[in-house]
Amino acid sequence: MSHNETPGSVRIRTDDGNEWRFDAIQKAARFYDCNRSNAVAFACEDVDSLVSAARDVLEREDLTCEQRREIAETLSTRAVRFDIETSVSVSTKGEL
């Protein structure tokens, strides 16, 4: 989106079952020690970096499967879930 297409304001609905959004924004503003608008922008920018970093950690080869599962469970949130999959496949050449 080019700068001239950027809207002057963006509305976030906090009614009709979305009241939790206001609480989340307030929490982010306290965390970042800034106003609500900046808090939303900071959180949006940070989430991509944090998820990418979490993925990098979970893909480390020096971790056991159990360690990966524990880390994934710890890092999962209401909106982002990390799952660890292990699979074993066997292929045969058929009967000799």
Side-chain angles (χ1 to χ4, degrees), residues 56-68 71:
D56 289 346
V57 168
L58 292 169
E59 290 176 345
R60 287 179 29 187
E61 294 192 17
D62 62 326
L63 298 174
T64 66
C65 191
E66 183 60 28
Q67 288 171 321
R68 289 179 189 181
I71 294 167

Side-chain angles (χ1 to χ4, degrees), residues 2 11 23 38 81:
S2 70
R11 185 172 129 188
D23 293 334
N38 282 340
R81 179 172 169 80

Side-chain angles (χ1 to χ4, degrees), residues 1-91:
M1 180 179 289
S2 70
H3 184 67
N4 62 352
E5 295 175 9
T6 304
S9 66
V10 177
R11 185 172 129 188
I12 298 175
R13 295 193 60 105
T14 57
D15 60 350
D16 298 329
N18 294 311
E19 293 82 5
W20 66 271
R21 291 177 178 176
F22 185 75
D23 293 334
I25 292 167
Q26 290 285 84
K27 199 182 302 182
R30 284 190 299 275
F31 176 81
Y32 289 110
D33 191 26
C34 64
N35 65 44
R36 292 187 299 256
S37 294
N38 282 340
V40 169
F42 292 154
C44 290
E45 286 193 348
D46 284 352
V47 72
D48 187 52
S49 296
L50 292 170
V51 169
S52 179
R55 186 185 313 253
D56 289 346
V57 168
L58 292 169
E59 290 176 345
R60 287 179 29 187
E61 294 192 17
D62 62 326
L63 298 174
T64 66
C65 191
E66 183 60 28
Q67 288 171 321
R68 289 179 189 181
R69 283 191 178 110
E70 289 173 2
I71 294 167
E73 184 178 325
T74 300
L75 296 177
S76 291
T77 66
R78 77 184 286 157
V80 177
R81 179 172 169 80
F82 296 93
D83 291 314
I84 304 301
E85 296 179 7
T86 58
S87 61
V88 174
S89 62
V90 176
S91 31

